[in-house]
Amino acid sequence: MRLLHTSDWHLGRSFHRVGMLGAQAEFIGHLVTTVRERAVDVVVVSGDVYDRAVPPLAAVELFDDALHRLADLGVPTVMISGNHDSARRLGVGAGLMARAGIHLRTEPAACGTPVVLSDGHGDVAFYGLPYLEPALVRDEFAVEKAGHETVLAAAMDRVRADLAGRPPGTRSVVLAHAFVTGGEPSDSERDIAVGGVAAVPAGVFDGVDYVALGHLHGCQTLTDRVRYSGSPLPYSFSEAGHRKTMWLVDLAADGAVTAERVDCPVPRALARLRGTLEDLLADPALARHEDAWVEATLTDPVRPADPMARLSERFPHTLSLVFDPARTADDPEVSYARRLAGRDDQQIAEDFVAHVRGTGPDPHERTVLRDAFDAVRADDAEREVAR
């Protein structure tokens, strides 16, 4: 059985104020063409279909167009909700859509109920594990500690229990939206850490033939059987080195996996340039970036006049301008944003305590801070679900 594994479409998202809907529509066309020309049997979409819980109408219309085009090909699609999606909204009409071969899996309670598809070698069970917000699914999975690893492990226990009751030789595919240990994040994924821990070990998914992951935006192979497709388009300059692709996966009769990367259309190259303004304007080696989306980091000791206007004369698609003059970390001129770069909310709070009190928080106080951040994040998730 041949699968096309994709994820993290983020329909409706912009790139530094540049609308991406046209590029997203081009990707959908490319996906449909790939399904048709490469004899794909099943499309799997591992979450973050939309960029936010209440997407703009144009994004909903593009999603609707994608579903119609896939259904017209007669190729089944299995899709889960991600942490950016509203699971309840995405799942509206799931029963009706299933009749057209579009299988939406957005309910945590249905983790152990697969979509069963067949080929000449027998059945393949597709299990959809939507993004599982630990605080919201703790009761469903009857776990004492609400963490990503515990709830995913409980969901996978249901998967393995169902699979054990199926005929011998039944192959299995799991779709999941999570941060799995060994994956390389970028700047454009929303933080999902609980208790200071975001990642879960790949071993959680043991016992199935293929795991189609979503959430991280870089295409990655954690094991031969556990892979991220990554996002089909870039959504931050940290993705400048990414090759945007989908996975074309062949699942053999014995469950063996072979996979090939299928490139996605590139709307415009990304370039991260660094140097003084005069160097960036004069360096002939930078000519190849003149048509790229550019993030320019200026190292001038004094901020030059009209830097964006001057850069845009040579690099008309400059979208981000960063000032990073060579200074020591304790220099009072170092910007607040630079001092906070690379720190998460917990670390910033601990640094603030140390600054005000002269000493950092003790272990109990760190736990209090962590619990407070987790409670706020869980409350935000509940509000999003209720919208």
Side-chain angles (χ1 to χ4, degrees):
M1 185 173 286
R2 174 165 284 186
L3 325 175
L4 186 64
H5 167 198
T6 177
S7 73
D8 294 273
W9 295 356
H10 288 278
L11 300 181
R13 186 164 183 161
S14 298
F15 181 78
H16 288 267
R17 301 176 304 282
V18 173
M20 296 290 279
L21 204 64
Q24 290 169 341
E26 185 178 359
F27 160 69
I28 294 298
H30 171 68
L31 181 147
V32 171
T33 299
T34 302
V35 171
R36 183 176 58 248
E37 294 183 352
R38 300 298 299 272
V40 170
D41 298 306
V42 187
V43 176
V44 295
V45 186
S46 299
D48 281 354
V49 175
Y50 292 121
D51 189 55
R52 54 183 185 267
V54 184
L57 179 59
V60 178
E61 290 174 340
L62 180 55
F63 178 60
D64 180 66
D65 177 64
L67 297 189
H68 275 85
R69 294 169 73 179
L70 289 169
D72 286 346
L73 291 176
V75 175
T77 297
V78 184
M79 183 178 295
I80 62 172
S81 50
N83 61 302
H84 279 251
D85 298 309
S86 165
R88 291 174 63 182
R89 280 187 169 81
L90 188 65
V92 169
L96 188 60
M97 291 183 193
R99 300 180 188 179
I102 306 295
H103 303 277
L104 298 173
R105 288 294 186 264
T106 63
E107 292 293 333
C111 284
T113 305
V115 177
V116 180
L117 303 172
S118 301
D119 63 8
H121 303 290
D123 290 345
V124 180
F126 290 80
Y127 297 90
L129 279 56
Y131 172 66
L132 302 174
E133 173 59 45
L136 302 186
V137 301
R138 176 177 180 172
D139 292 341
E140 169 62 36
F141 293 105
V143 295
E144 292 184 6
K145 184 179 179 181
H148 288 289
E149 183 174 352
T150 53
V151 297
L152 268 172
M156 282 302 300
D157 285 344
R158 294 188 183 184
V159 168
R160 285 185 283 264
D162 179 85
L163 193 58
R166 295 191 175 275
T170 299
R171 290 159 290 164
S172 54
V173 175
V174 165
L175 289 72
H177 195 88
F179 185 177
V180 179
T181 303
E184 184 66 31
S186 61
D187 293 341
S188 52
E189 299 112 6
R190 184 182 295 170
D191 181 26
I192 60 171
V194 173
V197 179
V200 301
V204 164
F205 299 103
D206 285 352
V208 296
D209 293 309
Y210 184 71
V211 182
L213 293 174
H215 180 56
L216 299 185
H217 288 182
C219 182
Q220 300 170 64
T221 300
L222 304 187
T223 74
D224 285 344
R225 297 183 182 275
V226 182
R227 299 171 188 261
Y228 281 101
S229 68
S231 61
L233 295 165
Y235 294 114
S236 73
F237 277 102
S238 66
E239 300 168 57
H242 288 187
R243 174 187 164 199
K244 295 300 184 181
T245 59
M246 302 177 285
W247 282 113
L248 193 66
V249 178
D250 286 315
L251 193 61
D254 62 356
V257 170
T258 57
E260 171 192 346
R261 292 178 72 175
V262 178
D263 289 291
C264 297
V266 178
R268 193 178 296 278
L270 305 185
R272 307 184 91 172
L273 310 182
R274 182 182 181 88
T276 66
L277 178 59
E278 294 305 325
D279 285 346
L280 297 186
L281 294 178
D283 188 349
L286 301 181
R288 68 185 188 277
H289 301 306
E290 290 175 357
D291 195 43
W293 280 324
V294 168
E295 176 190 73
T297 299
L298 300 184
T299 59
D300 301 77
V302 177
R303 185 176 301 215
D306 300 321
M308 181 61 90
R310 294 171 66 189
L311 277 169
S312 296
E313 290 179 3
R314 182 178 188 189
F315 307 104
H317 304 288
T318 301
L319 301 181
S320 177
L321 185 59
V322 181
F323 294 95
D324 187 21
R327 293 192 176 108
T328 61
D330 58 355
D331 191 316
E333 300 266 336
V334 173
S335 73
Y336 182 67
R338 186 181 173 193
R339 293 199 303 271
L340 298 186
R343 290 179 169 85
D344 61 25
D345 290 342
Q346 177 84 15
Q347 292 169 320
I348 293 169
E350 291 182 14
D351 288 349
F352 177 75
V353 172
H355 173 73
V356 172
R357 196 170 62 186
T359 59
D362 61 31
H364 171 70
E365 290 169 333
R366 288 192 181 94
T367 299
V368 170
L369 286 170
R370 185 177 297 115
D371 289 347
F373 283 119
D374 287 349
V376 169
R377 209 175 53 78
D379 183 63
D380 286 345
E382 287 189 89
R383 290 173 184 271
E384 195 163 275
V385 167
R387 290 174 70 184

